[in-house]
């Protein structure tokens, strides 16, 4: 049984190049097939794509040639070329093929049409059709850029929301495996050393602040998850073996005021501990006006303890008072007397009935045991608070009347 004859295209009245337009309509299917064949021949990435994606790309090529035909019919009428061409494909196609691959696809299709101009155009219309194709190629290039820009904006907005959820979970102490999975989707590859840096957020566009943090992190070779939560700028820094060094490298985008770095922890799940310490340090930083900027949360232990931070109190007792207690009563007694005597070696020696060199030796032992030097004013203040808290713990809760 013979195949039915192909339906001729409808007449095109009152068009200055009606014959060329009719021939373009007649050849559109052939041109689309030739474009797909050339892509299969020249583009290696197209050959290895799943059949579903190849079919979508074929539809885009057909839509592009059909849109050119319609544009040639009414060049004076504004048209949304991005919708005409790329509206046939699902949004997921922008994830399946890159911008570079889309440019190659469009270039191949345009080249196929251009190489067929002498065959498609009516005699005398070759230059007209060629110039129209050049203008259309420019328009399709802008349309391609628009499609990928919109997709990038959508992904960027989604990523920003996802990142904000992760940062908020770390800061609120609710980080779990779900937060780790979301962080992995953002490119976080589970670095071994993590710390949290907190400070005041600058006024203005928070997206600009976040981007400035990312630039600083790239320069410092750190991974970051960051966001502006209320008035605070939060940075979860990965790959930071030295929290103070990491904070210094990221400090530029922070607004004026204290910037506090929490201690280094092993992973993102443990980052809640670093975040709690940094948040407590930020609240207590006002009690130390001369604090360096940035400052470690552990350097603010006395202020944090006095502000009611139970973790700081426990650290001072467990890391200073208990080791001194275990080292023998002589160290505790000598340190206590030395601090009461306004850090005077001779005064402490007289009170203890020992030689000043003995006091000096015991104070060096205090430094070895605790890591804090009694001769340093700031360290002496920390040691004094630790002694007070340790004594209070040993004394137990006050008896009820």
């Amino acid at each position: 049984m013979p195949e039915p004859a192909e339906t001729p295209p409808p007449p095109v009245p009152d068009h200055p190049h009606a014959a060329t337009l009719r021939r373009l309509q007649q050849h559109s299917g052939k041109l689309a097939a030739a474009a797909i064949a050339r892509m299969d021949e020249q583009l290696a990435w197209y050959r290895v794509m799943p059949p579903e994606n190849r079919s979508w790309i074929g539809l885009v090529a057909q839509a592009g040639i059909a849109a050119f035909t319609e544009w040639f019919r009414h060049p004076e009428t504004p048209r949304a070329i991005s919708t005409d061409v790329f509206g046939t494909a699902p949004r997921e196609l922008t994830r399946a093929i890159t911008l570079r691959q889309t440019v190659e696809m469009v270039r191949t299709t345009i080249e196929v049409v251009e190489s067929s101009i002498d065959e498609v155009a009516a005699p005398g219309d070759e230059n007209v059709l060629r110039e129209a194709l050049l203008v259309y190629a420019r328009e399709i290039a802008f349309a391609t850029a628009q499609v990928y820009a919109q997709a990038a904006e959508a992904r960027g907005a989604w990523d920003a929301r996802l990142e904000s959820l992760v940062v908020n979970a770390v800061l609120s102490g609710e980080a779990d495996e779900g937060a780790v999975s979301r962080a992995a989707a953002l490119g976080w590859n589970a670095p071994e050393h993590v710390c949290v840096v907190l400070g005041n957020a600058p006024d203005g566009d928070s997206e600009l602040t976040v981007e400035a943090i990312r630039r600083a992190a790239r320069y410092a070779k750190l991974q970051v998850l960051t966001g502006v939560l209320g008035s605070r700028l939060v940075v979860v820094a990965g790959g930071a073996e030295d929290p103070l060094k990491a904070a210094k490298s990221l400090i530029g985008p922070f607004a004026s005021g204290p910037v506090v770095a929490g201690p280094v922890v092993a992973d993102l799940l443990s980052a809640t501990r670093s975040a709690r310490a940094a948040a407590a340090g930020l609240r207590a930083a006002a009690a130390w006006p001369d604090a360096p900027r940035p400052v470690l949360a552990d350097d603010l232990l006395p202020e944090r303890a006095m502000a009611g931070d139970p973790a700081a109190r426990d650290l001072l007792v467990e890391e200073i008072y208990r080791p001194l207690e275990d080292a023998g009563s002589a160290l505790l007694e000598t340190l206590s007397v030395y601090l009461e005597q306004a850090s005077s070696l001779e005064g402490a020696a007289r009170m203890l009935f020992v030689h000043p060199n003995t006091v000096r030796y015991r104070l060096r032992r205090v430094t070895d045991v605790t890591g804090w030097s009694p001769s340093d004013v700031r360290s002496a203040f920390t040691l004094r608070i630790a002694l007070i808290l340790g004594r209070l713990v040993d004394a137990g809760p006050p008896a009820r009347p």
Side-chain angles (χ1 to χ4, degrees):
M1 182 176 181
E3 294 184 1
E6 184 178 349
T7 303
V12 185
D14 301 329
H15 193 280
H17 306 285
T20 295
L21 180 58
R22 280 195 299 271
R23 296 175 64 151
L24 188 60
Q25 291 173 327
Q26 291 172 344
H27 285 76
S28 60
K30 179 181 177 181
L31 291 173
I36 294 170
R38 184 172 295 189
M39 280 188 276
D40 189 67
E41 177 186 347
Q42 296 182 351
L43 304 181
W45 57 265
Y46 175 78
R47 291 194 296 271
V48 300
M49 293 193 80
E52 182 181 5
N53 288 341
R54 291 181 57 166
S55 67
W56 283 120
I57 291 174
L59 287 177
V60 170
Q62 293 174 20
I65 294 172
F68 171 59
T69 302
E70 189 62 28
W71 183 84
F72 187 74
R73 181 197 301 270
H74 301 294
E76 74 288 347
T77 304
R79 300 187 62 82
I81 292 180
S82 61
T83 303
D84 292 343
V85 177
F86 298 102
T88 59
R91 183 176 300 177
E92 291 77 10
L93 191 63
T94 58
R95 293 182 180 269
I97 64 173
T98 65
L99 176 59
R100 178 185 60 81
Q101 292 170 340
T102 303
V103 169
E104 291 178 351
M105 176 189 71
V106 171
R107 180 188 292 119
T108 301
T109 306
I110 294 295
E111 287 174 351
V112 167
V113 177
E114 187 177 19
S115 65
S116 304
I117 284 179
D118 291 338
E119 177 186 354
V120 174
D125 281 353
E126 292 85 358
N127 288 336
V128 172
L129 188 59
R130 185 173 287 107
E131 290 176 4
L133 183 62
L134 288 175
V135 175
Y136 180 77
R138 182 195 65 186
E139 296 300 321
I140 198 68
F142 283 127
T144 303
Q146 180 184 16
V147 167
Y148 276 83
Q150 290 173 342
E153 288 178 359
R155 285 196 297 270
W158 172 253
D159 288 351
R161 289 193 291 270
L162 204 61
E163 188 170 12
S164 179
L165 287 173
V166 176
V167 171
N168 185 66
V170 170
L171 197 62
S172 63
E174 298 175 355
D176 54 14
E177 291 298 335
V180 174
S181 298
R182 287 188 284 271
L186 294 168
W188 181 268
N189 63 6
E192 294 182 354
H193 304 93
V194 180
C195 72
V196 176
V197 182
L198 286 180
N200 295 326
D203 296 331
D205 191 344
S206 60
E207 292 184 6
L208 296 178
T209 302
V210 167
E211 185 55 37
I213 288 288
R214 292 202 179 103
R215 284 197 301 269
R218 285 193 294 269
Y219 183 79
K221 298 181 179 179
L222 297 171
Q223 292 187 59
V224 294
L225 298 167
T226 184
V228 176
L229 302 182
S231 62
R232 291 187 293 185
L233 175 56
V234 186
V235 182
V236 182
E241 296 185 26
D242 183 344
L244 193 59
K245 180 180 178 182
K248 287 179 179 178
S249 66
L250 301 172
I251 199 170
F254 284 87
S256 59
V259 175
V260 182
V264 170
V265 293
D267 50 36
L268 189 62
L269 284 177
S270 306
T272 55
R273 180 165 59 86
S274 183
R276 282 195 298 268
L282 191 62
R283 288 191 296 269
W288 187 12
D290 296 327
R293 186 177 186 269
V295 62
L296 293 174
D298 285 353
D299 287 344
L300 287 160
L301 283 176
E303 288 78 11
R304 289 167 53 190
M306 297 176 72
D309 179 14
R313 294 181 177 182
D314 292 342
L315 281 171
L316 287 170
V317 173
E318 297 302 324
E319 295 188 1
I320 295 179
Y321 184 80
R322 295 302 178 204
L324 288 174
E325 188 178 48
D326 294 340
S329 60
L331 291 190
L332 271 177
E333 182 184 17
T334 301
L335 176 61
S336 178
V337 171
Y338 176 77
L339 295 176
E340 293 296 334
Q341 294 299 313
S343 302
S344 169
L345 284 172
E346 290 75 13
R350 286 195 300 270
M351 294 293 296
L352 294 168
F353 301 103
V354 296
H355 194 276
N357 284 341
T358 302
V359 176
R360 188 177 288 108
Y361 167 77
R362 290 177 180 176
L363 294 179
R364 283 200 300 267
R365 288 279 297 131
V366 169
T367 303
D368 293 339
V369 170
T370 67
W372 300 84
S373 173
S375 61
D376 176 77
V377 174
R378 177 68 190 175
S379 294
F381 172 64
T382 303
L383 291 166
R384 183 186 291 272
I385 298 298
L387 292 183
I388 294 172
L389 292 172
R391 290 166 183 156
L392 289 173
V393 170
D394 285 349
R400 294 187 178 182

